[in-house]
Amino acid sequence: MPSDPLLPDSGRRVFVALGDSFTEGVGDRDERLPNGVRGWADRVAEKLAKAQPGWKYANLAIRSKRLRHIVDEQLEPALRMRPTLVTLYAGGNDILDLKTDMPALMADYEQLVARLAGTGATLVLFTGFDVKVSALLEPLKKRNTYYNQRVRDITDKYGAVLVDYWSLDAFHDRRMWDSDRLHMSKAGHKYLSGQVLDQLGVPHKIKPKDWEPPTRPSLREWERRQRRWVHDWVLPLFGRKLRGVTLGDTLTPRWPQPVKVPRKGGLKKLAAGTYDGGSTPYGAGTP
């Protein structure tokens, strides 16, 4: 927990979340909410409003976005909102693109951080986790290590808050991950929201899932899971890459303008009505 207050005690309170599927909330399904997901950022917004009524929240993150998309599509809208708290995770999809120039990527990342830090908002950054998806992706570990070290350096340089996702041992349990093995499960999103709140010094009662130790699957069960994973996730992913499309192409931001977070009932209460008092309904989206 921080020794000095990181968030405003009074006055303007606007939380803006930027990024890709990690921040959009993929893996934490909830058909009552925009894009059919909830995620750690929604949970953080709700706890902020409970601790300090009056917080407004926007989430501009969309799955599959590369760093350049986040800069082009999310940065200026975020700056116009005059945020007092910003969270950013960006670059994870770029790491998966084998042609990515990592030093160039991180130079662009630093420029984005500099723009956000210049607002005077509390800025939260994240390292990436070493997801054990497949031995085929082990060569990416060197890229992840480079990315994480640069994020730590940039965090120090700009006085940001770091959530060191890489070091969170709880995520070594496969139950913290969704069936695609790349995105957090509901339990993973909930746990991560507690980690973010801890770094911000916001009180909460989020506790890790009290699970029995995981059981080792039999060879037959392991093979069955592998076949299902390849069929449900790997083949569709390669199919989209061949067609040049992503899952985020038809989606819009979940909360594109700052909405006042209800202190009771949270964002589900807001989604059950209309967006910002207007006529656009916000119910289930496309997961």
Side-chain angles (χ1 to χ4, degrees), residues 71-97:
V71 172
D72 292 345
E73 301 166 13
Q74 300 178 26
L75 175 58
E76 290 301 329
L79 295 178
R80 288 195 295 269
M81 295 174 192
R82 296 190 296 123
T84 52
L85 170 64
V86 177
T87 61
L88 171 68
Y89 177 76
N93 290 309
D94 298 86
I95 292 173
L96 295 174
D97 292 335

Side-chain angles (χ1 to χ4, degrees), residues 219-232:
L219 178 59
R220 178 176 294 181
E221 174 64 16
W222 180 85
E223 290 176 338
R224 186 180 67 82
R225 290 178 184 175
Q226 290 295 100
R227 287 195 300 271
R228 184 195 304 164
W229 175 63
V230 170
H231 179 270
D232 291 349

Side-chain angles (χ1 to χ4, degrees), residues 153-208:
D153 293 342
I154 291 167
T155 296
D156 291 340
K157 181 176 179 179
Y158 292 92
V161 176
L162 179 66
V163 177
D164 199 353
Y165 191 29
W166 177 272
S167 68
L168 298 179
D169 290 340
F171 285 97
H172 290 293
D173 191 312
R174 61 179 173 80
R175 290 167 290 190
M176 297 288 270
W177 299 93
D178 196 21
S179 53
D180 65 0
R181 305 182 187 177
L182 283 172
H183 296 100
M184 292 178 288
S185 64
K186 183 182 293 291
H189 278 280
K190 187 174 182 179
Y191 180 81
L192 186 68
S193 70
Q195 297 300 304
V196 175
L197 292 165
D198 284 346
Q199 292 301 316
L200 293 174
V202 177
H204 65 88
K205 295 182 180 179
I206 297 171
K207 296 181 179 180

Side-chain angles (χ1 to χ4, degrees), residues 20 27 46 57 84 88 111 121 133-134 161 172 221 236 242 269:
D20 53 26
E46 291 166 350
Y57 165 58
T84 52
L88 171 68
Q111 290 183 7
V133 176
S134 167
V161 176
H172 290 293
E221 174 64 16
L242 290 173
K269 180 179 180 180

Side-chain angles (χ1 to χ4, degrees), residues 23-286:
T23 301
E24 184 189 355
V26 173
D28 186 5
R29 298 174 184 82
D30 193 322
E31 295 299 327
R32 294 166 291 182
L33 290 168
N35 292 359
V37 295
R38 187 180 182 189
W40 65 264
D42 276 24
R43 296 170 186 274
V44 167
E46 291 166 350
K47 295 301 183 184
L48 287 170
K50 190 172 182 179
Q52 296 177 318
W55 274 94
K56 292 185 178 181
Y57 165 58
N59 190 327
L60 306 182
I62 296 178
R63 64 199 73 180
S64 306
K65 296 297 182 181
R66 272 59 177 172
L67 177 64
R68 65 184 182 276
H69 302 132
I70 294 167
V71 172
D72 292 345
E73 301 166 13
Q74 300 178 26
L75 175 58
E76 290 301 329
L79 295 178
R80 288 195 295 269
M81 295 174 192
R82 296 190 296 123
T84 52
L85 170 64
V86 177
T87 61
L88 171 68
Y89 177 76
N93 290 309
D94 298 86
I95 292 173
L96 295 174
D97 292 335
L98 297 180
K99 294 182 180 180
T100 296
D101 181 329
M102 289 301 296
L105 175 73
M106 297 314 295
D108 291 341
Y109 176 92
E110 181 173 355
Q111 290 183 7
L112 173 57
V113 169
R115 292 286 305 278
L116 294 170
T119 66
T122 297
L123 176 59
V124 179
L125 305 178
F126 300 81
T127 56
F129 195 77
D130 182 24
V131 184
K132 301 297 184 183
V133 176
S134 167
L136 296 174
L137 297 183
E138 278 301 299
L140 296 179
K141 187 168 185 176
K142 186 176 181 180
R143 288 178 166 216
N144 283 331
T145 301
Y146 177 80
Y147 174 89
N148 287 342
Q149 188 54 56
R150 291 289 292 123
V151 168
R152 293 185 183 104
D153 293 342
I154 291 167
T155 296
D156 291 340
K157 181 176 179 179
Y158 292 92
V161 176
L162 179 66
V163 177
D164 199 353
Y165 191 29
W166 177 272
S167 68
L168 298 179
D169 290 340
F171 285 97
H172 290 293
D173 191 312
R174 61 179 173 80
R175 290 167 290 190
M176 297 288 270
W177 299 93
D178 196 21
S179 53
D180 65 0
R181 305 182 187 177
L182 283 172
H183 296 100
M184 292 178 288
S185 64
K186 183 182 293 291
H189 278 280
K190 187 174 182 179
Y191 180 81
L192 186 68
S193 70
Q195 297 300 304
V196 175
L197 292 165
D198 284 346
Q199 292 301 316
L200 293 174
V202 177
H204 65 88
K205 295 182 180 179
I206 297 171
K207 296 181 179 180
K209 208 65 165 156
D210 186 18
W211 280 315
E212 294 292 329
T215 57
R216 188 179 182 87
S218 65
L219 178 59
R220 178 176 294 181
E221 174 64 16
W222 180 85
E223 290 176 338
R224 186 180 67 82
R225 290 178 184 175
Q226 290 295 100
R227 287 195 300 271
R228 184 195 304 164
W229 175 63
V230 170
H231 179 270
D232 291 349
W233 298 107
V234 178
L235 295 179
L237 174 63
F238 278 104
R240 289 192 297 273
K241 282 188 174 294
L242 290 173
R243 299 193 306 275
V245 300
T246 76
L247 291 174
D249 289 347
T250 60
L251 297 180
T252 55
R254 302 185 55 242
W255 305 105
Q257 296 292 334
V259 292
K260 187 172 182 179
V261 183
R263 195 176 177 193
K264 294 184 179 180
L267 292 160
K268 293 178 184 178
K269 180 179 180 180
L270 187 64
T274 57
Y275 168 67
D276 202 20
S279 59
T280 305
Y282 258 78
T286 303

